[in-house]
Structures are given as structure tokens and as C-alpha cells.
Amino acid sequence: MKAGKRSASFVAGILALLLLIVTACSSPGAKTGNEAQGGTGKPNESSGEASSGDSNTFNLWLGWTATINNDSLIQKYWKEEEPGIQVELEAMQGDAMTALNLRLNTGGFKDAAIFSRSETVKNAMIRSGQVMALEQYFEMPDKYPNLAAIPKEYLERMRDTDGHIWSIPTWFDQNPDEPWPGWVSTAWLVRTDVVEKTGMKLEDLASLEGIESFLKKAAEQKDESGKALNPMGFLMDQNDSAGWNDENAVLSAFGVTTGSAGGVIPVEEKNGEFVFLYDDPGYKAAYQWISRMYREKLIDPEVVTDKKERYKEKNKSGRTAMNVGSFWNVDQTIWETLDGPTESGWYYEPIAFPKVNGVESVGYNQIVNPYPGYDVYISESTKNLEAILKFLDYTLQPKAEMQQIVNEGPAGLYWDWIDQPLGSWKYIDEAYSGPRNSGDAAQKATVTPELYMLASFNYEWYPWWNNEVSVAGAAKTQKFSKVIGQMGGVRTAHLYDTITAKPGSLWEKYGPELENLRKEYRAKLIMSKDDAQFEEIWQAFRDALEKRVRWSELKQEWHESYQALVQENGEY
């Protein structure tokens, strides 16, 4: 056993040394397309052409683990029909950054690589000197019209100080001014059958006072076994995060922003100042309300200790009248499997965030980032540049249904419209849909590599909001997401939503402990026996923020990172 540990440490040390050597010896920037062919390093201004071979094949390295079958039906379509390109896929092995560093240290990837957008990945690619600068190819509308059609605000924020763009962006919103809100799921969900039994109407639940009246009346109702209902439930999952937990539905009602676009902490700009999650007065007020509801037995008494499976079982069996949080946690299968009002799950409906006295607007629990989610890097040594560019110009056509076409092929092949284009759709080939929906990764890989992220999307049409359903309840989830997205808890990302932890930063050091504090004190706050104890626990939480995670210093470092990003990219 000791020998094994020593061997692993030795290998890790060698890899770290190799990385330092390569980083120290690599060029300060990678090469342009022409320089990769042994040219001057300038873009191909004279010809305006991609000069790398005439092959119709290229290798695409995926920055994640996946089951690969390069004879899949969709890849055959790409090769034999459109765009006439054979794409040979290669999946990542193990941890992404470890695999990337090892590949860059041992000669790089063959042709192209796609990674989820990351500053760490971008910096590693550029430092390696093994990728092309690609800015010229976004300015050739005659040859690559869809690369040229990428919204300029995305491309301009990708330029370095020398004007180079080092990747082709993918998986972005085609309309950054009116982005698709995503799968919005954080809401207040109530059972309409229970509302009816209490003699109330949904409009009576528009205020916090109305919610409290409903919870008191719901506590008097019985489930099918004769037990009193739990008026309200939510999941306190130990694996959740500050930006993703069920209490955020309550925090939104109290005007607290809990979402971010990958940032280290939810932040909102209010009256010209940045207000951090735990400093927002609404954060304390929301937990005061939850604590009072808990003491008055209007919240499931087991909420602090329930496991996910137990929580879902209570919802399925009809033990709970109202849930706050994500409908994924409630478990959407309790209505998706029904074809009518045969079980309690059928009656769930989302309602607007209740109005809270003194709160002017709902807090944002989901931040929509229309900016690219993935980047395709091209090797400076590829001999298949034209094939890569032609393929991506195909996948990045600005059509609403393009992600569906990339994922499943064109309409009429393996799927088709039920009523009209950009309406409902269904699979039309059982030989395709059987393996596709089998739940078996190897079978799915025989028909599609599922590379929707090579395309882009927009709000006009989203495939998984419009697919054919076999039972009526299956359509509820899409409906819920659309409705919740219009309730005020969603906005487009700003630069300040994207501040990440830099290597060696205080956020990197103390971020995990900050999460531990949140989880530790949310339980204590909810379970406080009276208002006086709540205040004591709240003050202890504030003290712990300073003593255990250096809260003031974390915020100062955040401001410095933000100012640096503004200088580099400009605000948005």
C-alpha cells in the first residue's frame, strides 16, 4: 500500500514538473492559421482561404468522458449527406484538466477539441502554443456565413489584447437581447385540490399573509390514510449549494438574488452598490419567516433531517400541501406518469412568488448567460482545417431548430414535426428512437453522439419543450418551466455574476468553508426556539463569517477581481 502511494506521488510530481517546463518554454501566444502552415504568422489576407488540406475528415476530441461509436447514424449522415464531413470522435479519459495538461505536454491533440468554456482551459491552450488564432474566419461571410453571423458581442469579448480569438464559440443564444431562460424550476408549488378543500382560491395566495392562511387551513386537512397533511415541505439537501437549493424560492420572494453565472457568490447591484448574498437584509428576513413557520408547525417537522428519497416519497403519497424549491426535487415523475387526476401529483401547479411587505421586486434565482458555453480549439498542426471550419459553419446555422438537427438529424429523417415547423415533434423511426431512448449509453451511441452543444439555440423553439408526450402529465413539466420563467426570478447575466475563484485566491481557499457555514447555520436558524434565539444564532453566523472565512477580505478580493475584469472586458 505504501509503495502504491509513493508511486502515485512520484507520477504526480513528474507531471507537475513537465507542466512547469512546458509552460516556461512555450511561446507567449499560439499561431494563426497561416503560421501553423509555416507562414509569416499573419492571417491569410491574400487568399482569405483556410489553407490546411482538402480532407473531408477530422478528429474532434471531447473535453468530457463519453461512450463513443464512430459509426453512429448521425455521424454517417454528416459524412454522406450534409455537410459531407466525417467526424471521428475521441472522448476524454478521467479528470478534464489532468487529461488536458497531459495531452498538451505530450504533443497536443490532432485536429480540434471542444471544452466547456473555462478561463483555465483557454489559458492552458494559449500558453501551450499549440492552437491557432481564428479571428480571420469570422470575417468571411461568403465562405463561412454562419461563423460570420455569430453575434459580435460574443466575439469581441473573446479577443485578447492583440486582437486574436483562440476558439470558435458554440452553444450560445442566437439572440442575446432576448435569451432563452433555460429550464427554470425554482418556485412555490401548491396542490390545487388542497386549495379547493380549504375553501380558498389561488389568487388568495398572492401575498405572504395569504400563504400563511392557506398553510394553517392545510394543516387541518387529511391525506388518504387519515393523517394530517404537512402544510409545507422543501428539501434540505446536503449536496446543494448557495445558488441551488430549495430555500432560494423563499429568498426570491424576499427580494434576494441567489443565482449567478458561475460566480463564486450570488451578488446583486442595488442602488448603485453590490450587495452580497449574506449581507442582503432579505436573507435574514427570509429565514426568520421560515423559522416562524417551522415553530408554528406549518413546515414539515422533519425538513431538517429528511433525505431526498424520503422527501420525494412524501410528495408522491400526497403527504404535502405545498412545496417551495425546485420541481426537480419535488420529483416531476409524480405528474409526468399520469394521464389524468388519478393521484395527488396531478394537482401540483406553480404560483407566483408571494408579495412580501417592503419588498419591491422578486430576487433572481436563475441567471441566464446567453454567452457561449463551449469553445472549439483547433490544433496549429492540423491538416484538416477546411473540414473543421466547414463542419462548424454547418452546425452554427442560426436556426431555432439547429440544436435538434445536430443532435438527431434533420426533420423527416428520424424525427418530424407533428403539426407544423417549430411546433410539436416526434420520433418517426423506431430503429432510431429505440436505442436513442433505451437508457443504455452504448445503444444510444450507435445512433447519436448527442453533440447538441456544437450548435446554438434561441427562445423561439426548444426541442424538449415541444416533444410528443404519451400521457397528458408529461407535458406539465415543460409548461411549468415556461410559466415559472415569466414570474420575475430570471434575468440575463452581468459581468459581476461571473467572478470566479483564481488559483491561490482567498475564494479558492475559503469557498468550501463558506458553504459549510451556510449549511450549518441554515439548520440552526430554522430550528431556533424563539425570536431571541434566532437573533443569537444570526449574530453567531455573522461572527463566523469573519472569523472562519474572512468575509470582509473575500468581498474585497471580489471587488478587485471585478475591477480587473471590467478593465479587460468592459461591463455588460
Side-chain angles (χ1 to χ4, degrees):
M1 194 70 175
K2 290 182 180 179
K5 289 184 178 181
R6 179 178 178 183
S7 176
S9 299
F10 178 75
V11 171
I14 292 297
L15 287 176
L17 181 59
L18 278 171
L19 181 58
L20 286 172
I21 292 172
V22 169
T23 301
C25 296
S26 64
S27 61
K31 303 175 183 179
T32 64
N34 193 52
E35 189 179 2
Q37 305 304 313
T40 63
K42 298 179 181 179
N44 300 324
E45 296 170 350
S46 59
S47 66
E49 298 289 327
S51 59
S52 190
D54 57 2
S55 170
N56 286 326
T57 301
F58 75 94
N59 177 276
L60 179 62
W61 188 39
L62 308 180
W64 55 87
T65 57
T67 300
I68 298 297
N69 184 327
N70 278 313
D71 290 322
S72 75
L73 295 179
I74 295 302
Q75 285 164 276
K76 286 183 178 179
Y77 177 84
W78 293 340
K79 176 184 177 181
E80 298 171 2
E81 301 295 334
E82 57 177 345
I85 301 296
Q86 181 175 348
V87 185
E88 296 289 340
L89 301 176
E90 179 185 357
M92 179 76 66
Q93 299 295 323
D95 173 72
M97 286 311 304
T98 301
L100 174 61
N101 287 329
L102 183 59
R103 180 66 65 94
L104 293 178
N105 293 340
T106 54
F109 52 91
K110 181 181 178 182
D111 292 316
I114 179 171
F115 277 79
S116 178
R117 175 154 286 197
S118 163
E119 285 294 310
T120 304
V121 170
K122 182 181 78 171
N123 292 335
M125 291 287 192
I126 296 173
R127 284 197 308 268
S128 74
Q130 298 176 30
V131 295
M132 292 183 185
L134 303 169
E135 60 276 359
Q136 61 174 317
Y137 303 117
F138 303 111
E139 300 173 1
M140 299 180 182
D142 292 339
K143 187 170 180 60
Y144 309 115
N146 303 310
L147 297 185
I150 295 172
K152 299 306 178 190
E153 49 263 69
Y154 300 160
L155 295 174
E156 290 307 310
R157 294 193 184 281
M158 294 171 64
R159 290 187 189 274
D160 65 13
T161 55
D162 295 322
H164 294 315
I165 298 175
W166 299 100
S167 62
I168 294 176
T170 67
W171 199 239
F172 52 80
D173 200 301
Q174 295 163 11
N175 185 0
D177 296 326
E178 190 180 356
W180 176 63
W183 278 100
V184 189
S185 67
T186 299
W188 294 57
L189 293 162
V190 67
R191 278 174 49 193
T192 56
D193 60 329
V194 179
V195 175
E196 184 177 346
K197 288 178 181 179
T198 64
M200 299 181 71
K201 298 179 180 179
L202 289 180
E203 50 263 38
D204 297 329
L205 278 61
S207 68
L208 201 63
E209 291 77 12
I211 293 289
E212 292 181 20
S213 295
F214 168 72
L215 295 179
K216 291 173 183 177
K217 292 182 179 181
E220 300 170 356
Q221 307 303 314
K222 308 291 185 181
D223 66 10
E224 291 185 355
S225 66
K227 296 180 180 178
L229 292 181
N230 289 318
M232 177 183 282
F234 57 90
L235 178 65
M236 293 180 68
D237 189 349
Q238 283 303 305
N239 295 315
D240 64 22
S241 65
W244 178 256
N245 64 75
D246 278 1
E247 299 106 288
N248 286 353
V250 179
L251 288 164
S252 284
F254 279 80
V256 182
T257 288
T258 59
S260 75
V264 291
I265 189 76
V267 180
E268 189 57 60
E269 188 172 17
K270 297 184 178 182
N271 300 318
E273 295 184 358
F274 290 118
V275 179
F276 293 80
L277 177 64
Y278 305 120
D279 294 341
D280 193 315
Y283 188 89
K284 178 183 178 183
Y287 276 96
Q288 281 179 312
W289 183 80
I290 296 173
S291 178
R292 182 164 63 84
M293 294 299 99
Y294 184 78
R295 294 199 303 269
E296 293 178 11
K297 302 187 186 314
L298 298 179
I299 289 178
D300 185 347
E302 298 176 325
V303 67
V304 176
T305 56
D306 257 353
K307 301 298 183 185
K308 182 179 292 187
E309 294 74 16
R310 173 65 175 152
Y311 172 70
K312 289 186 174 184
E313 177 55 36
K314 288 179 180 178
N315 297 329
K316 181 175 176 59
S317 63
R319 295 279 298 116
T320 306
M322 170 179 276
N323 296 77
V324 291
S326 170
F327 60 60
W328 302 120
N329 286 339
V330 173
D331 190 357
Q332 75 281 5
T333 62
I334 66 175
W335 56 76
E336 285 185 345
T337 55
L338 305 178
D339 206 20
T342 54
E343 295 180 28
S344 58
W346 177 266
Y347 296 97
Y348 272 107
E349 291 288 341
I351 59 172
F353 295 98
K355 177 65 178 175
V356 177
N357 290 332
V359 176
E360 295 182 1
S361 60
V362 171
Y364 302 106
N365 55 68
Q366 182 150 318
I367 306 300
V368 178
N369 189 353
Y371 280 72
Y374 289 81
D375 289 284
V376 176
Y377 298 90
I378 300 179
S379 170
E380 54 91 16
S381 60
T382 184
K383 297 186 177 358
N384 303 304
L385 177 58
E386 174 60 21
I388 299 168
L389 296 174
K390 181 179 178 181
F391 179 74
L392 290 171
D393 193 67
Y394 164 76
T395 67
L396 291 174
Q397 295 175 69
K399 298 178 181 179
E401 71 273 30
M402 201 60 209
Q403 59 167 309
Q404 173 79 345
I405 293 172
V406 171
N407 219 51
E408 316 287 354
L413 184 61
Y414 302 121
W415 65 276
D416 210 347
W417 306 112
I418 294 174
D419 43 15
Q420 59 185 343
L422 301 188
S424 300
W425 67 275
K426 64 178 180 179
Y427 289 110
I428 59 174
D429 187 338
E430 177 59 33
Y432 180 91
S433 62
R436 172 70 177 83
N437 298 322
S438 67
D440 180 87
Q443 286 194 54
K444 181 188 289 187
T446 65
V447 293
T448 176
E450 213 168 8
L451 291 179
Y452 61 87
M453 68 288 294
L454 287 168
S456 55
F457 57 90
N458 71 32
Y459 191 57
E460 185 179 2
W461 188 80
Y462 185 77
W464 301 111
W465 277 2
N466 295 281
N467 59 300
E468 180 184 44
V469 296
S470 57
V471 294
K476 284 178 173 283
T477 302
Q478 294 96 318
K479 172 191 169 186
F480 287 179
S481 191
K482 291 179 184 178
V483 169
I484 297 168
Q486 300 299 317
M487 290 180 176
V490 182
R491 69 160 168 77
T492 304
H494 296 297
L495 183 70
Y496 59 77
D497 298 307
T498 68
I499 308 301
T500 56
K502 304 298 183 185
S505 66
L506 292 175
W507 278 104
E508 182 182 59
K509 181 177 181 180
Y510 290 106
E513 181 62 10
L514 181 61
E515 261 299 285
N516 291 338
L517 272 180
R518 180 188 69 83
K519 291 174 181 176
E520 174 186 340
Y521 278 92
R522 69 173 176 178
K524 291 179 178 179
L525 289 169
I526 291 172
M527 298 177 70
S528 56
K529 64 182 182 181
D530 52 35
D531 290 343
Q533 188 179 60
F534 182 93
E535 289 295 337
E536 291 176 4
I537 295 170
W538 177 257
Q539 189 55 53
F541 172 59
R542 299 298 304 180
D543 292 343
L545 284 174
E546 290 296 339
K547 293 177 182 177
R548 288 168 56 178
V549 299
R550 297 162 66 173
W551 182 235
S552 295
E553 293 179 52
L554 285 178
K555 291 187 290 184
Q556 178 60 36
E557 184 180 79
W558 183 95
H559 279 284
E560 291 170 357
S561 296
Y562 169 70
Q563 291 300 329
L565 270 183
V566 170
Q567 290 296 318
E568 180 180 346
N569 298 309
E571 179 56 283
Y572 62 87

